[in-house]
Amino acid sequence: MSEERRLKVLRAIVQDYVETSEPVGSKALLERHQLGVSAATVRNDMAALEEDGLIAAPHTSAGRVPTDAGYRLFVDRLSAVKPMSQAERAAIARFLEGAVDLDDVVDRTVRLLAQLTRQVAVVQYPSLTRSTVRHIELVPLGPNRLMVVLIVNTGRVEQRVIETSGDLSTAEGEATLTTLRAKVNQRASGERLVDAARSLATLTEEFAPDQGDLVRAVVGSLEDALVEEREERVVLSGTANLARSGTDFPLTIGPVLEALEQHVVLLKLLGTARETTEPIAVRIGHENPHAGLQATSVVSTEYGTGSDLVAGLGVLGPTRMDYPTTMASVRAVATYVSRILAQ
Amino acid sequence: MSEERRLKVLRAIVQDYVETSEPVGSKALLERHQLGVSAATVRNDMAALEEDGLIAAPHTSAGRVPTDAGYRLFVDRLSAVKPMSQAERAAIARFLEGAVDLDDVVDRTVRLLAQLTRQVAVVQYPSLTRSTVRHIELVPLGPNRLMVVLIVNTGRVEQRVIETSGDLSTAEGEATLTTLRAKVNQRASGERLVDAARSLATLTEEFAPDQGDLVRAVVGSLEDALVEEREERVVLSGTANLARSGTDFPLTIGPVLEALEQHVVLLKLLGTARETTEPIAVRIGHENPHAGLQATSVVSTEYGTGSDLVAGLGVLGPTRMDYPTTMASVRAVATYVSRILAQ
DNA sequence: ACTTGGCACTCGTAGACAGTGAGTGCCAGC
DNA sequence: GCTGGCACTCACTGTCTACGAGTGCCAAGT
């Protein structure tokens, strides 16, 4: 019994099932693929595949459907990422190039990805980890309220509002603020975020004790913003595609939507993309940690400019998904958005 | 035939249908409400109501279901906003008070609203229309790229990146930038956004012709940001509730999700809230302009601090919705978030 | 002029039942 | 190890029936 032909059969099953979304039987397989063997032989192979847990029958005497393990094997060994046409690549590039700022880049990326794959697209905001501080601004909002604005070289802006104990509206208060603004920028500008945080920590010493509270408050809030990496934000698009995906699983669409609302879950999904050695990570069905996503697959990858700016991006859809083309789209979009970000 | 009793019947039908999500017949109505009349009488009344287009029968010999017009009458004349308990109000206030910045306020608001109403919540970011400019920062990102940051007194930050023709990295370029930064702030700081835009328009005259390009570019981008009110952003939460809402309309959930992704549509929905005189606007079924939302209702209102800071907020759900309690939740959340924003 | 009880009628729903066909498993032969 | 053949299993479909919820209408009562 040729191992090779068995895999061919598995591949044919996956392809047919993805296309028709119906369990595929031995006869249908013969019609649609030139396997050069008879139906009975295919049946034997299918029995073996079922034995191995790669396919399963929903019920007696229906066709077979790939299991998660079957998809996994298909993705790992039976498929190649489908190359995209030159025209498609050009269209992607053109669409992304119209972006005016970082928000717009991310926005366009996520929309594009959703449209290309006709699935739910998830894009993480570029992380600040390796970025540097461009500028820090302190804006008084009232006698006891101060807004701290952190501008990063990638174009991201972080803002915090803090309550101060001393009165800022007095002449003395304003003077302190001016000094503080200058010193903070002197220490932090141009530094990497982690370094800036470290450097700011010792700033309190340079001020009189009675200004200590204000300085501590400002520095504390900056450290927060710098270290906590709070801007681990994600954007998503194409949720409507979930409803469209065949009569496949409109029943379990609820849990999926719930999972999508918990951005922490999405971040974890995209984060694990970095743990693999593969350029494109695929997580299939039960391989997903989250309970609501066990009927879905996630195709994700990294994007960004070198080691400077790294984030994740990907799509989520039913396990019955066209992996080769989806992977191609994800890869292409990641490539081009990285290029745009590099300017 | 007492007009009054007929309305009582309509109210009973709406209430029962909202609760059971099944067409309600004359008999069931008698069991659950003390109407003091017989089934036959109720039937006559129901026939009259159907004649008036207030209720309809899904098919012969099933119960009746309210029409959009029926809900409308119910909301306008047959129901009162259900007051919330002191404990609930306290819980809302406590939850919102934990917010650390504007983003967080909006985020918490939308989550809270979704959870309270068990529906899809939509919150618009506070609009800048009446706000004033706090500060403008010009940050060079490279020899030919400049980031313009606009900080508004409400705490919002807008950013744009522009390409410049002249080289900014020369000494001369930096000097121009410094001057420009000073002049721009001098003219715009403290002004209302529209006024600032007007005031900036004449700025070009103060610079040498060869700097005109740069100045024009910066001013143009600021005017964009100031006038275009691009930060008409909306956030939403609770989309998973759509799936849960009975076996009501999981069929048409697709179009709804699509509509929700088009933020322009949502903005328009919230915007029209301001056109009514009612404190809380209710748009029912076909009253919605968007085709995908004709099976849904929107309950929305304004929030913000006086005339200074006004935006919309609301929830969206199936037309079969508990209007009195939903309206109560929307009103309460709007009240408290306004209070928080007023500080 | 309403209200009421009664009654015939309509249909949607649920259950039973048989027929059909896709698909399988197995076996004997090549 | 492949192939054709054959019996078997079930899901699916369509039809038929019985049931019951609910209506519309009418004649009688207040």
Side-chain angles (χ1 to χ4, degrees):
Chain A
M1 182 185 304
S2 136
E3 173 78 13
E4 192 186 340
R5 193 195 52 234
R6 243 165 58 187
L7 294 182
K8 246 184 193 159
V9 171
L10 175 59
R11 173 159 59 201
I13 291 175
V14 171
Q15 286 170 352
D16 271 26
Y17 183 58
V18 164
E19 197 170 327
T20 65
S21 34
E22 267 165 26
V24 17
S26 52
K27 206 168 159 188
L29 262 192
L30 283 186
E31 283 172 15
R32 300 171 50 95
H33 299 80
Q34 288 77 25
L35 291 171
V37 290
S38 79
T41 309
V42 172
R43 279 204 287 280
N44 288 333
D45 288 346
M46 287 169 91
L49 289 171
E50 185 163 21
E51 184 78 12
D52 292 353
L54 297 172
I55 58 178
H59 51 254
T60 330
S61 201
R64 304 303 222 294
V65 161
T67 62
D68 288 356
Y71 285 121
R72 166 56 54 202
L73 186 67
F74 174 81
V75 168
D76 287 348
R77 297 186 39 203
L78 301 178
S79 72
V81 179
K82 200 183 232 171
M84 304 192 80
S85 77
Q86 191 53 42
E88 287 173 301
R89 307 181 78 92
I92 293 175
R94 209 172 323 117
F95 183 71
L96 290 180
E97 266 159 17
V100 299
D101 64 9
L102 182 67
D103 282 340
D104 199 22
V105 171
V106 173
D107 188 57
R108 279 167 183 255
T109 303
V110 75
R111 272 176 212 269
L112 178 63
L113 203 49
Q115 209 183 323
L116 279 177
T117 61
R118 302 187 50 83
Q119 239 122 35
V120 183
V122 185
V123 175
Q124 177 186 9
Y125 261 78
S127 155
L128 299 187
T129 325
R130 306 261 185 157
S131 330
T132 59
V133 176
R134 172 72 66 180
H135 185 74
I136 292 170
E137 188 58 50
L138 308 178
V139 185
L141 298 180
N144 289 304
R145 298 174 52 82
L146 183 68
M147 181 166 73
V148 180
V149 181
L150 166 68
I151 306 178
V152 181
N153 69 335
T154 59
R156 274 205 60 73
V157 174
E158 273 302 296
Q159 35 178 320
R160 304 281 170 116
V161 174
I162 56 179
E163 308 280 338
T164 59
S165 49
D167 191 338
L168 298 171
S169 57
T170 63
E172 191 195 349
E174 288 191 15
T176 309
L177 209 55
T178 307
T179 322
L180 183 56
R181 186 184 294 125
K183 295 214 178 203
V184 162
N185 273 293
Q186 183 199 326
R187 290 207 175 200
S189 290
E191 298 292 321
R192 286 179 29 189
L193 301 197
V194 275
D195 300 337
R198 208 172 298 126
S199 168
L200 286 176
T202 60
L203 191 62
T204 326
E205 299 161 12
E206 297 189 18
F207 284 82
D210 64 330
Q211 298 162 339
D213 272 356
L214 171 63
V215 177
R216 257 193 299 279
V218 170
V219 168
S221 119
L222 276 171
E223 282 180 329
D224 259 18
L226 289 167
V227 173
E228 190 195 67
E229 261 193 332
R230 164 182 143 73
E231 60 290 9
E232 292 254 311
R233 273 170 48 197
V234 289
V235 207
L236 49 88
S237 172
T239 43
N241 289 330
L242 281 180
R244 180 199 47 72
S245 65
T247 46
D248 210 17
F249 62 144
L251 308 162
T252 51
I253 198 177
V256 177
L257 283 173
E258 268 169 35
L260 289 179
E261 287 213 341
Q262 297 171 29
H263 288 185
V264 194
V265 172
L266 297 179
L267 282 168
K268 202 154 57 176
L269 280 180
L270 292 178
T272 50
R274 269 170 237 167
E275 289 164 13
T276 72
T277 56
E278 299 291 326
I280 302 182
V282 180
R283 232 155 297 101
I284 298 170
H286 293 82
E287 296 169 16
N288 279 311
H290 195 274
L293 300 178
Q294 308 236 318
T296 64
S297 287
V298 178
V299 176
S300 61
T301 188
E302 291 185 325
Y303 76 96
T305 61
S307 60
D308 228 22
L309 187 63
V310 181
L313 139 182
V315 307
L316 178 150
T319 44
R320 177 178 61 66
M321 167 196 292
D322 181 352
Y323 292 96
T325 40
T326 304
M327 288 167 80
S329 300
V330 169
R331 187 175 64 181
V333 170
T335 305
Y336 283 101
V337 69
S338 300
R339 201 169 296 173
I340 299 285
L341 286 178
Q343 314 298 341
Chain B
M1 183 184 302
S2 135
E3 174 77 15
E4 191 186 342
R5 193 195 54 232
R6 243 164 60 187
L7 294 182
K8 246 185 194 159
V9 170
L10 175 59
R11 173 158 58 201
I13 291 175
V14 172
Q15 286 170 351
D16 270 27
Y17 183 58
V18 165
E19 196 171 329
T20 65
S21 34
E22 267 165 26
V24 16
S26 53
K27 205 169 160 189
L29 216 48
L30 282 187
E31 283 173 15
R32 300 171 50 96
H33 300 78
Q34 288 78 25
L35 291 172
V37 290
S38 79
T41 310
V42 173
R43 279 203 288 279
N44 288 333
D45 288 344
M46 286 168 92
L49 289 170
E50 186 163 19
E51 184 79 12
D52 293 351
L54 297 172
I55 58 178
H59 50 254
T60 328
S61 203
R64 304 304 222 294
V65 162
T67 62
D68 288 356
Y71 285 122
R72 164 58 53 204
L73 187 66
F74 174 80
V75 168
D76 286 348
R77 298 186 39 205
L78 301 178
S79 71
V81 178
K82 199 183 231 171
M84 304 193 79
S85 76
Q86 192 52 43
E88 287 173 301
R89 307 180 79 90
I92 293 174
R94 211 174 318 119
F95 182 71
L96 290 180
E97 267 159 16
V100 301
D101 64 10
L102 182 68
D103 282 341
D104 199 22
V105 171
V106 174
D107 188 57
R108 279 168 184 254
T109 303
V110 74
R111 274 176 210 271
L112 178 63
L113 203 50
Q115 209 182 323
L116 279 176
T117 61
R118 300 188 54 83
Q119 239 121 36
V120 183
V122 185
V123 176
Q124 177 186 9
Y125 261 78
S127 156
L128 300 188
T129 324
R130 306 260 185 158
S131 331
T132 59
V133 175
R134 171 72 68 178
H135 184 75
I136 292 171
E137 187 59 50
L138 308 177
V139 186
L141 298 179
N144 289 303
R145 298 174 52 80
L146 181 68
M147 182 166 72
V148 179
V149 182
L150 166 68
I151 305 178
V152 181
N153 69 335
T154 59
R156 274 206 60 75
V157 175
E158 272 303 294
Q159 34 178 323
R160 303 282 169 115
V161 174
I162 56 179
E163 309 280 336
T164 60
S165 51
D167 192 336
L168 297 172
S169 57
T170 63
E172 190 195 351
E174 288 192 15
T176 309
L177 210 56
T178 307
T179 321
L180 182 56
R181 185 184 293 124
K183 294 213 179 202
V184 162
N185 273 292
Q186 184 199 327
R187 291 208 176 199
S189 290
E191 296 294 321
R192 284 178 32 186
L193 300 197
V194 275
D195 300 336
R198 209 171 297 127
S199 168
L200 286 175
T202 60
L203 191 61
T204 326
E205 300 160 11
E206 296 190 17
F207 284 82
D210 64 330
Q211 299 162 338
D213 273 357
L214 171 63
V215 176
R216 258 192 298 279
V218 169
V219 169
S221 119
L222 276 171
E223 283 179 329
D224 259 18
L226 288 168
V227 173
E228 192 194 65
E229 262 193 332
R230 163 184 143 73
E231 60 290 7
E232 293 255 307
R233 274 171 48 198
V234 288
V235 207
L236 49 88
S237 171
T239 44
N241 290 330
L242 281 180
R244 180 197 48 71
S245 65
T247 46
D248 209 17
F249 65 143
L251 307 162
T252 51
I253 198 177
V256 176
L257 284 174
E258 267 168 37
L260 290 179
E261 287 212 343
Q262 297 171 30
H263 288 187
V264 194
V265 172
L266 297 180
L267 282 169
K268 201 155 57 176
L269 280 180
L270 292 178
T272 50
R274 269 170 237 166
E275 289 165 14
T276 72
T277 55
E278 299 291 323
I280 301 183
V282 180
R283 232 157 297 101
I284 298 169
H286 292 80
E287 296 169 14
N288 279 311
H290 194 274
L293 300 180
Q294 308 234 318
T296 63
S297 286
V298 178
V299 176
S300 61
T301 188
E302 291 187 324
Y303 75 97
T305 60
S307 62
D308 229 21
L309 185 66
V310 182
L313 137 183
V315 306
L316 179 151
T319 44
R320 177 177 61 66
M321 167 196 292
D322 181 352
Y323 292 95
T325 41
T326 303
M327 289 167 79
S329 300
V330 168
R331 187 176 64 182
V333 170
T335 305
Y336 282 102
V337 69
S338 299
R339 200 168 296 173
I340 298 286
L341 286 177
Q343 316 297 342

